[in-house]
Amino acid sequence: EQLIAPYLGSLRGAHIADVGCGPGILLKRLLDRYSAHGATTTGLDASLEMLRSAQQRLGQNSRLIQYDLAWPL
């Protein structure tokens, strides 16, 4: 988070996508920091196990999608 925060700029009303979100640690931090400003989040990960962990951490506050970047769009 400390590495990317200087590059984020204003996230007021933004939609944040975390590709390869794993257990949702970064998504949780971003939600805690920016949701009061109207930002929403989506996490993508190939692992259903990781998405389940992210769901426990985030509740219903983030959209989570199982997707592998090796799959065709």
Side-chain angles (χ1 to χ4, degrees):
E1 178 185 9
Q2 293 174 359
L3 292 174
I4 64 169
Y7 301 101
L8 294 178
S10 173
L11 294 178
R12 185 173 302 277
H15 186 85
I16 303 164
D18 184 359
V19 180
C21 68
I25 294 168
L26 180 59
L27 278 176
K28 175 71 170 135
R29 289 181 180 160
L30 291 169
L31 273 172
D32 289 346
R33 187 175 209 173
Y34 298 108
S35 64
H37 302 288
T40 58
T41 58
T42 297
L44 291 91
D45 203 280
S47 168
L48 191 54
E49 183 178 327
M50 288 290 110
L51 291 173
R52 285 185 183 126
S53 181
Q55 185 72 53
Q56 289 178 337
R57 177 172 277 109
L58 300 164
Q60 298 299 317
N61 296 319
S62 187
R63 182 175 181 204
L64 299 170
I65 301 169
Q66 184 177 19
Y67 188 79
D68 189 320
L69 292 176
W71 298 344
L73 296 173

